[in-house]
Amino acid sequence: MRHFRCLALTLPSGTVFQLRISKGLFLAALGSVYGFSGKVLQDLGYRKLVLQVGRGSVCPDPFSTNTFTLEVFRFKNSLTEEVQAADLVISHAGAGSCLEVLEAGKPLLVVVNDKLMDNHQLELARQLHRDGHLFYCSSRDLVETLRSMDLSTLKPFPRGQPEKFAEFLDKAIGI
């Protein structure tokens, strides 16, 4: 069994998290309830879950047992510390969130909001998945995707080269 320190989970504001310690963790996303058992995480080797719940209507109480810890917060100025500590980040598919995690070199699973019109999140997730940098799913497929994905197949995200853009601008304006 693999043993991971931490799983960080951030989803769009409005996503609701509910915790029932006796029955594990239940995730209610986009108005529909999807069972998400704490045992699933433990079976996968995770010992800690860090939740950013944003403006969600329910904010579960943090807890810790001998085998599992739940940390919860609404907002922080920066998620850099949580991302660096995570063995896997689950996030919505916003461009900023994806780039922050991929540039940190962390495995990423994005949950696409399939209710969006002109779904740019899905387009971005599909392309980054085709390029081998992340996995993606809908909220209803989250548990199955967690069970089936192989993080060792992910490719590192290439570092940006802002100096090339600066050179281009310099040439374009004649400097």
Side-chain angles (χ1 to χ4, degrees):
M1 177 196 303
R2 300 171 295 175
H3 289 283
F4 298 104
R5 295 183 318 272
C6 182
L7 171 78
L9 178 63
T10 81
L11 291 173
S13 59
T15 300
V16 177
F17 296 95
Q18 297 177 334
L19 183 68
R20 298 181 188 158
I21 295 172
S22 63
K23 294 186 179 181
L25 182 66
F26 290 80
L27 171 65
L30 307 173
S32 301
V33 176
Y34 303 96
F36 189 68
S37 169
K39 181 151 175 30
V40 170
L41 294 176
Q42 288 180 326
D43 288 349
L44 292 170
Y46 293 98
R47 295 178 291 190
K48 183 178 182 182
L49 174 62
V50 179
L51 293 177
Q52 177 191 14
V53 297
R55 292 185 184 95
S57 61
V58 175
C59 185
D61 293 326
F63 74 92
S64 187
T65 67
N66 291 336
T67 58
F68 198 76
T69 298
L70 175 68
E71 290 182 12
V72 181
F73 62 92
R74 288 201 179 273
F75 296 101
K76 290 188 177 182
N77 290 334
S78 171
L79 297 178
T80 301
E81 191 175 308
E82 285 72 21
V83 169
Q84 288 300 324
D87 293 295
L88 171 65
V89 176
I90 301 173
S91 177
H92 69 109
S97 298
C98 290
L99 291 175
E100 180 179 4
V101 174
L102 293 174
E103 287 174 350
K106 295 297 180 167
L108 176 60
L109 169 60
V110 294
V111 180
V112 176
N113 182 348
D114 50 11
K115 305 279 190 245
L116 295 176
M117 294 178 64
D118 299 321
N119 199 337
H120 62 280
Q121 286 191 6
L122 180 58
E123 291 174 30
L124 178 64
R126 276 188 182 146
Q127 186 60 53
L128 290 170
H129 176 73
R130 275 189 217 115
D131 294 343
H133 302 303
L134 57 73
F135 293 99
Y136 75 97
C137 65
S138 67
S139 54
R140 68 185 158 275
D141 301 325
L142 178 58
V143 172
E144 181 55 37
T145 303
L146 279 168
R147 286 184 175 138
S148 65
M149 66 185 185
D150 180 357
L151 299 180
S152 71
T153 64
L154 293 176
K155 299 175 187 173
F157 189 72
R159 293 189 48 96
Q161 298 177 327
E163 65 281 355
K164 288 188 176 186
F165 182 67
E167 287 174 23
F168 168 79
L169 283 180
D170 289 347
K171 286 180 183 176
I173 61 173
I175 295 179

